[in-house]
Amino acid sequence: MSQTVDRALSILPLLAEGPADLGQVADRLGVHKSTALRLLRTLHEHGLVYRQSDQRYRLGARLIALAQEAMENLDIREIAHPHLARLNESCGHTVHLAVYEENEVLYIDKVDSRYPVRMYSRIGKPVAITVAAVAKLLLADLPERERRALAEKLDYPLYTARSTPSAPAFLRELEKVREQGWAADLGGHEESINCVAAPIRGADGRVAAAMSVSAPNVVVTADELLTLLPLVCRTADAISGEYSGRTPAKDIV
Amino acid sequence: MSQTVDRALSILPLLAEGPADLGQVADRLGVHKSTALRLLRTLHEHGLVYRQSDQRYRLGARLIALAQEAMENLDIREIAHPHLARLNESCGHTVHLAVYEENEVLYIDKVDSRYPVRMYSRIGKPVAITVAAVAKLLLADLPERERRALAEKLDYPLYTARSTPSAPAFLRELEKVREQGWAADLGGHEESINCVAAPIRGADGRVAAAMSVSAPNVVVTADELLTLLPLVCRTADAISGEYSGRTPAKDIV
DNA sequence: CAGGGTCGTTGCGATAAGTGCAACGTCCAT
DNA sequence: ATGGACGTTGCACTTATCGCAACGACCCTG
């Protein structure tokens, strides 16, 4: 809508790929160098980009700090965290919390496994949307139109032989998840990693977030992990209760 | 430099304080509502702001994802992480990695304590710059002019009785840290928490990052924590060696 | 050491893009 | 039913942005 701002913001994902110099930025934006310079300067003043010693630009520290504040403002995160920590205490595995927003599913909290083998994932990282258990729960709750439209738009990378291969398969899987009220990912993202997930609902009954427990085969088999399902669901329900204002929450400050 | 972009970017910190509606944004920017609307729309298209169900705007998911990518591009983080994890294995306490950029010190990595008592801090969060041990190391290495200028600009909040109270005191502390080559924070930020920190240097000898070990009094006394200093310094030196390209690093892909 | 090339930077005039206004629509509360 | 608050739209004005061309710094090469 606003050309100047639009161009300036387009620089950010570009720099997210790695540092770039003025010429590269100008080329990729399709504008004159002087224009790119002015945009970069403005971004720089706001701390969103940083100019490193070799004169190239990269994303800046304030961007990271802003994102941090953004996450801290998500009240569901505050509410859920103690529950996630408690679940991690009792089962020892990695626990994730994720939300859906504008065609993306994002981890917004994580409690690391207490086993030495840790899986790779990061708060703030977009989730493998076609296979992750939390993603299935979040998408399964979208209105049908939106769900179908999104499913068509997605790519279906074959991370493993068990990855969801196509839009129809994905929609069927979502339907199943929707009915059973929980989801699993058994080696669909990484061969040896399984997850079970449960939905967290707001006052309106819609799925506001999803949480999961993940563990590699070398620690527990898929079947063993599935025995945790009731515990995961209970935890998710407890969070739902607090988040929707039904349960007053017996803590804190 | 670019008015439109400048205004648009000013919206981000504003929304970081919490969700706001169109009128509030327009007022705080000092522009007409229609102008604010267009800016917000552009930000929205790029996913940097999100419009929640009550129509108010808040920071969006892509901002968080971008920040994530920004951090993953910091090569020092990649290099340091295994060392931090190993240090955590051997001492059990919380380990932090921080960098300085444009008047801010930011945690860019963290390995949580294995004790039940965990301290509050977050990757991406700006550090209490006048008291944190890592901040002292990073600022102590700045050119004198810059260091003085920054010291004058800072606020000196008295978190505790031991917090650095003023610019002159801070500069003296930095001088000391500079000479001894390590830093500590003994209850200067939170009464019961102590840290020891060591610098990580690049090929040019300048301090590129700093790492610290933190623990609450209830787990170890300050004196006990200080006995870890040699280990912390050795770890930092190992990271320095790898980062500056001296040590080839015996790993990875 | 001179010359050619690359890259970042600056000032300027043309004009395209952004701005504020006023009117409209919607929703909610009175 | 009526008033007010808030978001949204189209439009005329004019200001802020754009690309250009020229400059300067730097680096590498012959």
Side-chain angles (χ1 to χ4, degrees):
Chain A
M1 292 256 112
S2 167
Q3 188 190 62
T4 318
V5 178
D6 187 47
R7 286 173 171 171
L9 297 182
S10 303
I11 294 176
L12 298 178
L14 192 156
L15 290 184
E17 297 169 18
D21 62 32
L22 178 61
Q24 294 170 330
V25 172
D27 283 352
R28 295 211 31 196
L29 283 185
V31 300
H32 196 271
K33 280 185 306 174
S34 58
T35 305
L37 179 66
R38 266 180 309 244
L39 299 175
L40 281 164
R41 277 226 257 260
T42 312
L43 290 166
H44 180 92
E45 275 175 15
H46 286 257
L48 298 186
V49 312
Y50 178 72
R51 194 148 200 201
Q52 25 187 44
S53 42
D54 63 357
Q55 295 239 90
R56 290 190 305 165
Y57 296 89
R58 62 168 171 76
L59 296 178
R62 177 144 305 133
L63 185 76
I64 299 172
L66 273 175
Q68 193 47 46
E69 292 190 65
M71 282 202 294
E72 290 186 355
N73 285 342
L74 297 175
D75 39 356
I76 194 161
R77 195 169 164 282
E78 298 294 311
I79 293 170
H81 190 81
H83 295 271
L84 307 185
R86 217 170 301 136
L87 179 57
N88 168 267
E89 287 293 323
S90 72
C91 75
H93 302 302
T94 303
V95 180
H96 279 117
L97 179 70
V99 294
Y100 169 82
E101 188 181 308
E102 314 259 10
N103 305 346
E104 282 186 329
V105 173
L106 229 65
Y107 291 125
I108 58 169
D109 203 2
K110 175 189 186 182
V111 185
D112 261 314
S113 168
R114 288 185 289 117
Y115 293 93
V117 193
R118 290 186 178 180
M119 63 180 295
Y120 184 72
S121 79
R122 278 247 153 239
I123 293 177
K125 210 183 163 68
V127 174
I129 200 167
T130 60
V131 296
V134 286
K136 295 178 193 169
L137 282 164
L138 290 163
L139 301 192
D141 187 62
L142 291 178
E144 178 163 352
R145 292 187 58 82
E146 208 176 330
R147 200 183 341 145
R148 293 193 107 70
L150 178 55
E152 296 299 338
K153 255 193 305 184
L154 291 176
D155 288 329
Y156 293 85
L158 290 174
Y159 305 106
T160 75
R162 290 169 165 183
S163 298
T164 312
S166 64
F170 190 47
L171 286 168
R172 256 178 282 128
E173 173 73 5
L174 292 186
E175 208 51 58
K176 188 184 116 197
V177 163
R178 202 176 148 76
E179 276 165 32
Q180 71 189 8
W182 56 274
D185 162 27
L186 304 177
H189 184 42
E190 295 189 48
E191 201 60 69
S192 65
I193 294 193
N194 304 309
C195 313
V196 295
I200 293 164
R201 294 172 189 279
D204 55 1
R206 298 285 310 280
V207 174
M211 60 174 293
S212 70
V213 171
S214 314
N217 273 326
V218 293
V219 176
V220 291
T221 65
D223 285 346
E224 285 166 343
L225 189 62
L226 283 170
T227 63
L228 288 176
L229 182 58
L231 179 58
V232 177
C233 288
R234 256 183 285 132
T235 305
D237 289 345
I239 299 171
S240 299
E242 235 178 274
Y243 180 60
S244 61
R246 269 177 281 126
T247 320
K250 50 203 162 206
D251 30 10
I252 321 181
V253 169
Chain B
M1 293 255 114
S2 167
Q3 188 189 63
T4 319
V5 178
D6 188 48
R7 284 174 172 171
L9 297 183
S10 303
I11 294 177
L12 298 177
L14 193 157
L15 290 184
E17 297 169 18
D21 62 32
L22 179 62
Q24 293 170 329
V25 172
D27 283 351
R28 295 212 28 197
L29 283 186
V31 300
H32 196 270
K33 280 187 304 176
S34 58
T35 303
L37 180 66
R38 265 178 311 232
L39 298 176
L40 281 164
R41 278 227 256 260
T42 311
L43 289 166
H44 180 91
E45 274 175 16
H46 287 257
L48 299 186
V49 311
Y50 178 72
R51 193 146 200 203
Q52 26 186 45
S53 44
D54 63 357
Q55 296 239 90
R56 291 189 305 164
Y57 295 91
R58 63 166 170 76
L59 295 179
R62 178 144 302 133
L63 185 75
I64 299 172
L66 273 176
Q68 193 50 43
E69 294 190 65
M71 281 203 293
E72 290 186 355
N73 285 340
L74 298 175
D75 38 357
I76 194 161
R77 195 167 164 281
E78 297 295 310
I79 293 171
H81 190 82
H83 295 271
L84 306 184
R86 217 169 304 136
L87 179 57
N88 169 266
E89 286 295 322
S90 72
C91 75
H93 302 302
T94 302
V95 180
H96 279 116
L97 180 69
V99 294
Y100 168 82
E101 188 180 310
E102 314 258 9
N103 305 344
E104 282 186 329
V105 174
L106 231 65
Y107 290 124
I108 58 169
D109 203 2
K110 173 187 184 181
V111 184
D112 261 315
S113 169
R114 288 185 288 117
Y115 293 93
V117 191
R118 290 186 179 181
M119 63 181 292
Y120 183 71
S121 80
R122 278 251 152 235
I123 293 176
K125 210 180 163 68
V127 174
I129 200 169
T130 59
V131 296
V134 285
K136 293 178 195 172
L137 281 164
L138 291 163
L139 300 193
D141 188 62
L142 292 179
E144 178 164 351
R145 290 188 59 83
E146 207 176 330
R147 199 184 339 146
R148 293 192 106 69
L150 178 55
E152 295 300 336
K153 256 195 303 189
L154 293 175
D155 286 331
Y156 293 86
L158 291 174
Y159 306 106
T160 75
R162 288 168 167 186
S163 299
T164 313
S166 65
F170 191 47
L171 286 168
R172 256 178 283 129
E173 173 73 5
L174 293 186
E175 208 51 58
K176 186 183 118 199
V177 163
R178 199 175 151 77
E179 276 165 32
Q180 71 190 7
W182 57 273
D185 163 27
L186 304 177
H189 185 40
E190 295 189 48
E191 200 60 71
S192 65
I193 294 193
N194 304 309
C195 313
V196 294
I200 294 164
R201 294 173 189 278
D204 55 2
R206 297 283 313 277
V207 174
M211 59 174 292
S212 70
V213 171
S214 313
N217 272 326
V218 294
V219 176
V220 291
T221 64
D223 285 345
E224 285 165 343
L225 188 63
L226 283 170
T227 64
L228 289 175
L229 181 58
L231 180 59
V232 176
C233 287
R234 256 182 286 132
T235 305
D237 289 346
I239 300 171
S240 299
E242 235 178 277
Y243 180 60
S244 61
R246 268 177 282 127
T247 319
K250 51 205 162 203
D251 34 10
I252 320 178
V253 169

